[in-house]
Amino acid sequence: SSELTQDPAVSVALGQTVRITCQGDSLRSYYASWYQQKPGQAPVLVIYGKNNRPSGIPDRFSGSSSGNTASLTITGAQAEDEADYYCNSRDSSGNHPFGGGTKLTVL
Amino acid sequence: QLQLQESGPGLVKPSETLSLTCTVSGGSISSSSYYWGWIRQPPGKGLEWIGSIYYSGSTYYNPSLKSRVTISVDTSKNQFSLKLSSVTAADTAVYYCARLEVVPAAMPFDYWGQGTLVTVSS
């Protein structure tokens, strides 16, 4: 199956650490990519590959993977990190499914 | 700086074909390091991958949309296009084009267009 599963919503206190997870069989073979989307804007890539950040993405964002689960960790969450986060991967058939998204609230 | 720009009608009638074009500037669509893709997002909902294409014309489609989707590339114009046939209201969404980078064991969408809203209504 190429489906990716995310928790619909997660909250974190300002300055604390939060982990957003993504589960799927394809993650046993391929790394997840993570995207941040704020209202009315296009998604922005924040983590890809083993744990790579595109230029301009703060180092408080990091990624990891174990078995069929990929995780996005924000260490020291800021108010501007409040957004929807989507995971995405590829599978052996060349498909690129997205997870359902996680709404992050920074309290 | 790479830029992608979607263009096409914002309103399509039910049962007709939705057609969008993505124009790539600041880089070549013929690079061997990238694929090019379409993603959509219905209002208030999540992202859905529609399909991807390589500059050679090789395509991959979402199995749930495969029977209605055609993605093509025009390297001379640095553009790629989406056609979605027999549309219904369920196809109303913001449609994004994006670049996929080929990296080991991953293919992230690293550049995105701003998106264009397509409404299916009579």
Side-chain angles (χ1 to χ4, degrees):
Chain A
S1 171
S2 61
E3 292 184 357
L4 298 176
T5 302
Q6 299 181 240
D7 291 329
V10 171
S11 62
V12 62
L14 185 68
Q16 297 303 301
T17 296
V18 62
R19 177 174 294 182
I20 299 170
T21 61
C22 174
Q23 290 187 305
D25 289 342
S26 63
L27 299 179
R28 297 184 184 279
S29 302
Y30 300 99
Y31 292 112
S33 302
W34 290 93
Y35 305 85
Q36 177 192 71
Q37 187 180 36
K38 296 181 179 180
Q41 297 182 17
V44 173
L45 178 67
V46 294
I47 290 290
Y48 67 97
K50 189 173 184 179
N51 181 20
N52 300 299
R53 282 177 290 106
S55 175
I57 301 302
D59 61 5
R60 63 179 179 271
F61 289 88
S62 63
S64 61
S65 184
S66 178
N68 73 335
T69 302
S71 301
L72 171 70
T73 300
I74 306 174
T75 304
Q78 302 299 303
E80 60 265 32
D81 299 334
E82 186 162 290
D84 293 328
Y85 290 86
Y86 294 90
C87 65
N88 166 257
S89 184
R90 62 162 295 177
D91 66 17
S92 57
S93 298
N95 301 313
H96 291 267
F98 284 88
T102 298
K103 183 177 181 61
L104 176 66
T105 300
V106 180
L107 304 172
Chain B
Q1 175 78 349
L2 188 79
Q3 292 188 323
L4 294 88
Q5 179 67 56
E6 305 90 352
S7 59
L11 181 64
V12 181
K13 289 182 168 55
S15 80
E16 296 189 344
T17 296
L18 178 160
S19 296
L20 295 174
T21 295
C22 182
T23 300
V24 179
S25 59
S28 173
I29 203 169
S30 299
S31 170
S32 60
S33 299
Y34 306 107
Y35 278 70
W36 306 89
W38 288 97
I39 303 100
R40 71 180 182 178
Q41 185 171 37
K45 297 188 178 181
L47 300 171
E48 180 179 35
W49 171 72
I50 299 171
S52 306
I53 191 165
Y54 196 52
Y55 76 95
S56 63
S58 176
T59 53
Y60 297 92
Y61 297 137
N62 186 323
S64 69
L65 299 170
K66 187 173 184 176
S67 64
R68 299 194 292 130
V69 173
T70 301
I71 297 176
S72 58
V73 63
D74 187 337
T75 55
S76 67
K77 295 181 178 179
N78 230 32
Q79 296 176 334
F80 62 106
S81 298
L82 168 70
K83 291 188 185 298
L84 181 65
S85 64
S86 306
V87 297
T88 69
D91 295 309
T92 293
V94 174
Y95 286 75
Y96 296 99
C97 61
R99 186 180 81 171
L100 295 94
E101 183 180 14
V102 180
V103 296
M107 285 184 71
F109 293 94
D110 61 349
Y111 281 90
W112 294 65
Q114 65 184 23
T116 187
L117 174 63
V118 179
T119 301
V120 178
S121 175
S122 56

